[in-house]
Amino acid sequence: MKYYGDLRSFITALDEMGDIMHVQREVDGDFEPSAITRRSYEIQSPAPLFHKVAGVAPGFRLFGAPAALSSRSDMPYARVAMSLGLAPESSGPEIIEALSAARFKPGIPPVRVESAQAECQQNILRGDAANLDRFPIPFAHDKDGGRYANTWGTLIVKTPDGKWVNWSIARVMKVDGKRMVGLIVPSQHIGQIWTQWVARGEPMPYALVQGPAPAISCVSGIPIPANADEADYIGTLAGEPVPVVKAVSLDLDVPATAEIVIEGHVSIERDCQEGPYGEYGGYLGEGSSAQPTFHVETITHRDDPIWPMSITGRPTDESHTLWAMGLAADALTYLREAELPIKTTWIPEDSTVHWLLVVMPENWRELLPGVSSEELTQRIGEVLFKTDAMVFIPKVYVVDDDFDPTNLREVVWALSTRVHPVGRRAVFDDQRVIRLPQCYDEAEYVAGKGAKVVFDTLQTKRHLHASFAQGYPEEVRQRILDNWPE
């Protein structure tokens, strides 16, 4: 296992295992990098690294699909695992266990270094020179409202009293060289902090960080409890403190090894239109909304900087790997805190974060004596639907552990044969919903409430599978494996 402290060492490691596609020809500055990245997701190719982008200075690069499924079929979650300092061959459930376990360990706070030691401040741009037009920011999709300056970067903000520093990912659209507009949802952590600045009547200082250590990008996109600092949690995952440096123009610390840092203030009003944007559900966006303006005041960057991007859409991209694992880890943490004997949780990538599988061990009835599967299903729903992360997930399946939840073919087989057509489910009405899932009607979106469901697919009797693993004597199976292929 190795922790990668900057984006460049991570890209080198991926390259050594054959998981980087070097695009050396010049690509246009509008759609070509995004279209290539989107295709790379859909055919599971190596991650594209664009060395020449039209309209920007030589040396400025783009990096697509940083945490998507690997092109290595023997280690599909390698990009996520390596981002978090885990072995590239780690399975999805092993990654989820690591994310959940770190929640119970003491945080390791970041350590501040001097500006001279911080690669992110090799170049400092102020005033008119601090302009987004010099960077290769493409359109993510052709129906988007503009070029999206943030799809895989980390937004750093803190409360006015300085007690809570939040690192998060939120989509941010470029308006012009000196302005961006970002989606700020009141219930999300950045929205809670922005609301405090609004109450004071002061614009919120922010730093938008592109290309920090991969673990920073990953953790910025997953749920951890409010008032917890992501930097401390990342230190726990890494086993070492994150090096940070004071921002040039703000009282914020930023990751010292980042590629690019944009500094400025966020308006106290929703004074600019943001969107539409093609989101993780797999549909091109429609409509826009009034959101706060992010004013660009200072930009710092490394020599020959790399701008990473996630081009969301149909599976599988970072929304369906890293974010889904983060939501599953959050669910696992709360269920285990409720003293339920959960084996693992999993969100299949192809469900676009609309399904959560809660996997029970074979002996769960012994561990919960006197509890029926119906009661267990109800308890699971009561725990999960109180959490913030479950606002994104409308359907939960409680399943046995006799199949691989990370294998979509097995998931489809198990759910199609075990979900009762009418009964064996717990329905939770009037749950909080948002517009990102596509399964609700307009009245429910307007009300912000809709139904969610937990399906009980647990078997009262385990049935043997008509499969190679369970349909033949062990000695026959072993003889076949020893001689395969014949």
Side-chain angles (χ1 to χ4, degrees):
M1 294 190 296
K2 175 178 173 58
Y3 175 73
Y4 298 95
D6 70 349
L7 181 63
R8 300 182 185 204
S9 62
F10 173 70
I11 291 174
T12 298
L14 291 180
D15 203 11
E16 290 172 351
M17 56 187 280
D19 201 27
I20 292 292
M21 174 173 59
H22 292 276
V23 182
Q24 297 286 358
R25 67 176 178 84
E26 184 177 85
V27 294
D28 71 49
D30 293 326
F31 299 113
E32 205 169 4
S34 302
I36 292 170
T37 300
R38 181 100 290 276
R39 177 164 167 75
S40 79
Y41 293 130
E42 295 173 8
I43 66 172
Q44 209 167 321
S45 79
L49 178 62
F50 303 92
H51 293 268
K52 298 176 184 176
V53 182
V56 298
F60 284 33
R61 292 164 286 172
L62 280 167
F63 177 47
L69 290 176
S70 170
S71 62
R72 291 280 301 269
S73 59
D74 56 333
M75 48 183 73
Y77 302 110
R79 292 183 208 169
V80 177
M82 293 166 64
S83 294
L84 298 171
L86 302 173
E89 64 272 14
S90 298
S91 69
E94 287 171 339
I95 296 170
I96 287 172
E97 286 288 348
L99 291 172
S100 179
R103 295 263 288 262
F104 297 99
K105 297 177 181 177
I108 299 178
V111 59
R112 182 183 277 189
V113 301
E114 297 299 320
S115 179
Q117 301 172 279
E119 293 95 331
C120 72
Q121 294 180 354
Q122 289 174 336
N123 301 272
I124 299 175
L125 308 174
R126 296 183 174 91
D128 293 340
N131 194 302
L132 297 175
D133 292 339
R134 68 173 58 228
F135 295 97
I137 305 172
F139 285 92
H141 319 92
D142 71 348
K143 299 296 190 296
D144 288 349
R147 301 175 186 271
Y148 268 79
N150 195 45
T151 57
W152 194 242
T154 294
L155 283 163
I156 299 177
V157 300
K158 68 179 177 180
T159 53
D161 61 12
K163 293 182 178 179
W164 178 19
V165 179
N166 178 243
W167 293 10
S168 67
I169 292 179
R171 72 191 203 201
V172 179
M173 188 180 82
K174 177 185 173 184
V175 178
D176 54 38
K178 299 293 290 182
R179 292 180 301 157
M180 303 180 289
V181 55
L183 181 65
I184 291 188
V185 180
S187 61
Q188 294 181 340
H189 293 169
I190 190 172
Q192 295 171 25
I193 294 173
W194 178 71
T195 299
Q196 293 186 30
W197 285 96
V198 171
R200 288 169 62 107
E202 298 178 23
M204 177 177 70
Y206 80 91
L208 173 55
V209 180
Q210 299 292 349
I216 295 174
S217 300
C218 289
V219 170
S220 298
I222 67 175
I224 67 172
N227 298 301
D229 287 355
E230 283 79 6
D232 297 10
Y233 178 74
I234 295 163
T236 300
L237 287 170
E240 60 187 60
V242 175
V244 295
V245 64
K246 185 181 182 301
V248 170
S249 62
L250 304 170
D251 184 22
L252 290 172
D253 285 343
V254 300
T257 64
E259 295 288 326
I260 303 160
V261 179
I262 302 166
E263 304 174 13
H265 289 80
V266 182
S267 65
I268 63 174
E269 297 178 347
R270 297 184 183 272
D271 51 6
C272 193
Q273 289 295 307
E274 186 274 337
Y277 178 71
E279 268 289 359
Y280 71 93
Y283 300 92
L284 292 174
E286 296 179 2
S288 62
S289 62
Q291 300 294 337
T293 300
F294 288 64
H295 294 278
V296 177
E297 297 160 10
T298 304
I299 301 177
T300 71
H301 66 84
R302 294 178 69 151
D303 294 336
D304 298 329
I306 303 171
W307 190 296
M309 58 182 183
S310 172
I311 307 301
T312 53
R314 284 174 52 177
T316 302
D317 56 55
E318 287 74 16
S319 299
H320 317 117
T321 55
L322 184 279
W323 187 45
M325 289 185 194
L327 295 181
D330 190 67
L332 181 64
T333 301
Y334 283 113
L335 289 169
R336 286 183 175 167
E337 284 182 338
E339 300 183 345
L340 295 175
I342 310 301
K343 184 171 183 178
T344 192
T345 53
W346 185 251
I347 296 173
E349 297 101 42
D350 289 85
S351 78
T352 59
V353 199
H354 284 55
W355 293 357
L356 170 68
L357 306 184
V358 178
V359 184
M360 302 302 299
E362 185 171 7
N363 66 339
W364 73 264
R365 289 177 175 84
E366 299 172 22
L367 299 172
L368 293 173
V371 176
S372 67
S373 64
E374 293 81 4
E375 292 169 326
L376 174 63
T377 299
Q378 182 70 28
R379 286 176 61 179
I380 286 172
E382 289 170 353
V383 171
L384 290 179
F385 294 135
K386 291 178 182 177
T387 68
D388 289 335
M390 287 298 294
V391 70
F392 299 100
I393 300 174
K395 305 177 187 75
V396 178
Y397 297 87
V398 185
V399 300
D400 291 297
D401 66 351
D402 63 333
F403 69 96
D404 180 1
T406 71
N407 184 319
L408 185 64
R409 179 176 294 178
E410 294 189 30
V411 171
V412 171
W413 167 73
L415 296 188
S416 63
T417 59
R418 299 178 190 180
V419 173
H420 191 279
V422 178
R424 297 185 60 195
R425 68 192 67 190
V427 177
F428 295 79
D429 293 313
D430 295 325
Q431 298 299 307
R432 186 161 60 97
V433 301
I434 57 177
R435 284 188 178 271
L436 291 174
Q438 300 289 323
C439 56
Y440 296 99
D441 61 35
E442 184 61 24
E444 290 171 309
Y445 290 129
V446 171
K449 292 188 179 296
K452 300 196 174 186
V453 62
V454 184
F455 293 94
D456 171 12
T457 78
L458 297 170
Q459 302 173 92
T460 55
K461 174 187 176 183
R462 293 283 181 104
H463 297 277
L464 290 175
H465 303 175
S467 65
F468 177 77
Q470 296 189 22
Y472 306 93
E474 182 178 358
E475 63 272 17
V476 173
R477 287 185 282 117
Q478 191 59 52
R479 186 164 64 249
I480 291 171
L481 292 174
D482 291 342
N483 291 282
W484 191 279
E486 294 176 306

